[in-house]
Structure formats: structure tokens, C-alpha cells
Amino acid sequence: MKNKLLLLFTLCFISSYGQIAHKRQLSMLGSPFEVTVVAKDTLQANKYIDLAVAEVKRIENIISDWIPSTQISVINDNAGIKPVKVSDELMALVERAIRISKLTDGAFDISYASMDKIWKFDGSMKEMPSPEAIKKSVERIGYQKIILDKENNTIYLKEKGMKLGLGGIGQGYIADKIKELLYANGCTSGLVNVSGDINAWGRQPDGNQWTVGIVNPMNKSKVFAMFPLEDSAIETSGSYEKYVVFNGKRYSHIIDPRTGYPATGIVSVSVFAKTTEIADALATSVFVMGVDTGLNLINQLKGIECIIVDDQGNIHASDNIDIEKYKP
């Protein structure tokens, strides 16, 4: 995640209910970031949004692996050398990430950052890496090699060259923490969108629910479903812009950390959950696991739903989603 936070512009909407929905769009961590808050006036709204921006910076300086001084960077620098003392906050986040790894049989793994970068998705790669290079690229990956000492609050990576990267869960975590902070400070309604990780609470100034549209990446001009969000979250992972094709097979930029091979068969996964952190991690997991295995996992998890678009443009949904009901 890049250390970049640049204000672009601010939008404001005033309702007949005497409240405003105030939106600010930024570039954060190298990604689009948008926060909308409902407040009594612009002054209060800006205070809420400034709190959100400060929270982003605070978390960035804990979990970013681009900043040399963060706890994650220090853990990576000491891989195979010694345990590193960390905050309760980071310990809890890494512990939850490992839980997701166990749940998904390693399809989600924050030690993915240890992977050798042998796949290129910028148009420069003309042939597939060799099977030997692919196998070697994931040798240092393995959540089982992340050692947590909760008594001493330390994290240790067992092998030199290992690295943690929280890109698959960190943006969702940030969205959740912004919601938590703003709500605690009196903002009872808002929406945070961290590069597709969306968390909404309360309602819009006119009393309507927040809504999010889902598009088929194979036909981006058309929204095929509009879903209400109220005290819930959604995250969408997609490979429709970053992929390569060899021998007629489409390989996405999302790579299976267990095998080193890119995920195939899926172009988009949207996961609904109570927290963006969970939605974020599970969307990546389902992408790697594939349509059938991914849906089977989601159908076993209470309160979590999923929509998948495969590489033929077909739409698949978990058991408790009736897409027909939400067609615009």
C-alpha cells in the first residue's frame, strides 16, 4: 500500500430533513477512497471526514509494508531473525487473518507477500513461467510459519525472506475502523468506500437505504442488481482489467498462494458481510477457490452472501441471494 493521500474534491447534498449528505473523494494508499457522512451542517460533516482521514493515516502507519517504520515492515525485516513486539491492534488483526487462512485451507494467506514476482500483468509477459519457477515462487509462503506469541505480544516469521502483506484484508479493516470511529463520535449515518470495500451504516438524509449496484464485468454498461446496504458491507474483487491469456486460457492477477498459479474461471466476486474486513478476505479467497468450492464455503457461513461472475459472463449466487428480487 502506497503512502499517498491527496484530496480531490468535496460534494454536498442537503435534504428536506435538515441534514446533509457530505461526500469527499480522495486518493488513499494509491487507491480511490470515498467517504460520505450525514450531518447537520457542512462544518460538522467536515469534522467527521477529517476524523476519517486521520484514522486512515494512523492505520497506514501500522499496517503498510511500503513504509519502513511500520510494525509490519519491522516484522518483515526480522524474518528468520527474531520476534517483533507489536500493538494489541496488529496482533488481533493478524490473528483474525490466520483464522481466515485456516477456514479457506490457505486460499487466503497474508504471507503471500513472500511470493517471487514471476507473473507480469502489464503486457510484458510473452510466455508462462516454467512449472519449476512457479513452484519455487511460493516456497516461503505459509501462514503456519507465522508465529504469534500472545503472552509477549510478538510476531515472528520463521524463514528469512518471508513477508506479510495486509492488502487482502487491510482496506476492509480500514473501512470498518472508520465506521466505528465516526459512529462513536456521533455520526449515525454514512458510507465508506475504500477502493471497492464498502461499509454503510444508518440511512441517507431522505430516509432511504444506501444502495450499491453490481455490474457484470463482461458488460460494464449494465447494472444487473441493486442491493440495499444498512449496517452492512460489501467487497468486490475483479480480474477484468489485469490478466494474461496463454493457449486460450485466461489467468487473473489474483494468484493462489498455495500453488503459485493465477486464479482462473472467475472475473468478479462480490461478498456481503457485516464487516468489510471479512468481506475483503473472503472475496479474495473465493476468487482463488473457484465457483463451486467458493460458493460451498459461503453457503456454510451465517450472515455472509456472495455473487460470482465467471469468465463466460455467467452469474452465480449463494443460496440466500435472489438476484431477480434486486434487478433494477
Side-chain angles (χ1 to χ4, degrees):
M1 290 181 287
K2 297 181 181 178
N3 181 18
K4 184 178 180 185
L5 186 61
L6 174 67
L7 173 64
L8 298 180
F9 58 88
T10 299
L11 300 173
C12 176
F13 169 71
I14 302 177
S15 81
S16 58
Y17 289 76
Q19 288 188 310
I20 63 167
H22 192 98
K23 178 164 69 174
R24 193 183 299 176
Q25 296 181 334
L26 312 96
S27 176
M28 179 207 73
L29 309 172
S31 301
F33 169 65
E34 182 178 287
V35 57
T36 303
V37 297
V38 175
K40 63 182 180 181
D41 54 36
T42 303
L43 183 63
Q44 185 185 60
N46 278 324
K47 285 182 179 178
Y48 289 149
I49 296 175
D50 290 343
L51 275 175
V53 171
E55 182 71 347
V56 171
K57 291 180 179 179
R58 183 189 72 80
I59 299 172
E60 181 185 18
N61 280 289
I62 297 172
I63 70 173
S64 173
D65 56 2
W66 290 85
I67 303 172
S69 59
T70 66
Q71 293 176 43
I72 283 291
S73 292
V74 176
I75 291 167
N76 292 344
D77 290 344
N78 285 279
I81 301 172
K82 65 179 182 180
V84 173
K85 194 165 185 67
V86 299
S87 63
D88 291 343
E89 181 177 15
L90 183 59
M91 176 64 82
L93 178 58
V94 171
E95 187 177 20
R96 292 194 301 273
I98 291 174
R99 247 184 251 137
I100 297 291
S101 294
K102 292 176 179 176
L103 178 70
T104 61
D105 294 322
F108 176 83
D109 193 327
I110 58 172
S111 68
Y112 79 91
S114 312
M115 188 184 303
D116 295 332
K117 306 299 188 292
I118 61 173
W119 295 90
K120 308 292 183 185
F121 298 94
D122 57 3
S124 65
M125 191 167 63
K126 303 305 179 186
E127 61 181 17
M128 283 185 66
S130 69
E132 294 77 19
I134 294 171
K135 183 179 179 181
K136 187 176 184 299
S137 73
V138 295
E139 282 181 347
R140 293 185 299 274
I141 294 177
Y143 66 90
Q144 303 91 339
K145 296 182 281 190
I146 306 170
I147 309 303
L148 307 185
D149 182 343
K150 295 178 71 175
E151 186 176 338
N152 295 301
N153 243 50
T154 63
I155 298 177
Y156 175 55
L157 306 182
K158 287 179 71 173
E159 296 181 11
K160 283 193 174 182
M162 279 189 73
K163 293 181 180 179
L164 300 185
L166 294 174
I169 196 171
Q171 290 183 330
Y173 177 67
I174 287 172
D176 290 340
K177 293 298 286 184
I178 289 172
K179 171 187 172 180
E180 181 183 313
L181 177 66
L182 295 190
Y183 193 87
N185 280 273
C187 180
T188 57
S189 183
L191 183 146
V192 178
N193 182 351
V194 185
S195 190
D197 291 82
I198 300 172
N199 197 327
W201 66 101
R203 293 196 172 208
Q204 298 183 66
D206 60 5
N208 289 325
Q209 292 173 300
W210 304 102
T211 57
V212 59
I214 308 291
V215 300
N216 187 329
M218 313 299 274
N219 181 15
K220 292 184 186 179
S221 63
K222 187 177 180 182
V223 173
F224 67 79
M226 291 290 297
F227 290 91
L229 287 182
E230 188 171 350
D231 297 320
S232 59
I234 179 176
E235 200 277 341
T236 297
S237 292
S239 70
Y240 33 89
E241 293 176 345
K242 290 185 179 180
Y243 63 92
V244 291
V245 178
F246 291 121
N247 300 320
K249 192 170 185 178
R250 191 179 191 276
Y251 295 90
S252 84
H253 74 288
I254 298 175
I255 297 174
D256 187 336
R258 302 166 296 186
T259 66
Y261 282 86
T264 60
I266 291 177
V267 294
S268 175
V269 176
S270 298
V271 173
F272 297 84
K274 290 301 289 183
T275 69
T276 327
E277 177 186 311
I278 290 292
D280 195 359
L282 288 178
T284 303
S285 306
V286 169
F287 214 107
V288 167
M289 297 168 85
V291 175
D292 293 337
T293 306
L295 285 178
N296 182 54
L297 171 67
I298 295 299
N299 286 330
Q300 296 178 61
L301 301 176
K302 185 178 179 181
I304 297 175
E305 303 300 338
C306 178
I307 294 174
I308 300 172
V309 180
D310 67 26
D311 58 5
Q312 302 302 308
N314 301 311
I315 299 167
H316 310 262
S318 54
D319 288 348
N320 294 321
I321 288 186
D322 180 1
I323 292 179
E324 292 296 319
K325 178 180 175 182
Y326 297 104
K327 282 190 173 180

